[in-house]
Amino acid sequence: MIIFITGATSGFGKAMVLKFINFGHKVIATGRRENLLKELSQEIPLEFKNNLHTIKLDVTKKKDVEMAIAHLPIEFSQIEVLVNNAGLALGIDVAQKALIEDWDTMIQTNINGVLNCTHCVLPKMVAKNSGHIINIGSVAGEFPYPGGNVYGATKAFTHQFTLNLKADLLGTNVRVTSIEPGMCQTQFSEVRFRGDKEKAQAVYQGMEALSANDIAEVVDWVISRPAHININVISLMPTQQAFGSFAVSRK
Ligand code: NDP
Ligand code: 8X3
């Protein structure tokens, strides 16, 4: 398969690249940090080197996304799976204290980034009557928590967008899936806490979080189902994570 992955420099995206390359798939790995894309290339076993194509790409830049997808090398040009994985949470302040710039960045990345890539790839998939779009959502899109405000709302968007795509794609063989993990130890919390490694580590202290490889395994399972099966939504979380009770402010 030819698999296009956004946010492949770290976390889930990187784990997917390494897994899929080793399974013999062709992978287009994208992200903004070019040095990490180079490092990733160096991790690929010699026999699979030609199966990796890297592109420095910011998913928020619509024209760049269009150019990147329009100018893929011929052997990578027929994208069969798009994984809309690039995303981030910025800050965990309550809404009344949050920065509007952080909200803008989350919306541009987690929503517009998904739309920019999907809009480029989807018509070709429909024309070929095959393909699979995987959107990485989050449990935060379903379950609210203090400070989750816009991050959770962007992931609620990816959930509903995935299901609405499914509705539009009826009559085609194009598949769509929303994968919605809970706590997973990647650079996610470091980004959320603006590089504060100690705060980020504390999030996962004393519990076993999901790993990036766990998510790559789920994506692999989803894309390898027989063509007549569409997995709509997968929600998963660590055994040591759960939901909270309703909160009450008492006098
Ligand atoms: P990481 O921070 O480890 O990875 C995020 C990736 O997104 C990086 O490769 C980063 O690459 C990329 N990215 C961020 N902004 C952009 C952009 N504008 N353009 C292109 N790439 C971008 O986090 P995770 O691997 O954990 O996160 C992956 C996805 O999973 C995100 O959508 C996140 O919301 C979601 N998620 C994470 C959970 C967790 O607990 N970790 C749980 C549920 C969902 P670069 O900086 O090089 O551009
Ligand atoms: C990330 C999972 O629970 O930190 O999407 O919001 S959580």
Side-chain angles (χ1 to χ4, degrees), residues 87-130:
L88 77 175
L90 285 176
I92 195 149
D93 286 325
V94 288
Q96 54 274 32
K97 289 190 180 157
L99 299 175
I100 189 79
E101 294 77 17
D102 287 347
W103 284 2
D104 287 342
T105 304
M106 288 188 274
I107 290 167
Q108 282 160 20
T109 312
N110 303 357
I111 296 181
N112 291 98
V114 170
L115 298 181
N116 291 338
C117 297
T118 303
H119 196 260
C120 281
V121 167
L122 194 59
K124 284 187 194 160
M125 287 184 172
V126 171
K128 279 195 306 182
N129 200 24
S130 73

Side-chain angles (χ1 to χ4, degrees), residues 6-13 30-33 36 57-60 85-89 109-110 136-139 151 155 181-188 191 204:
T6 67
T9 54
S10 163
F12 302 176
T30 71
R32 293 168 302 175
R33 288 171 290 177
L36 296 185
L57 183 64
D58 182 335
V59 293
T60 67
N85 165 71
L88 77 175
T109 312
N110 303 357
I136 303 296
S138 166
V139 291
Y151 176 68
K155 295 303 188 180
M183 292 165 75
C184 183
Q185 196 157 2
T186 59
Q187 288 181 358
F188 176 83
V191 172
Y204 311 106

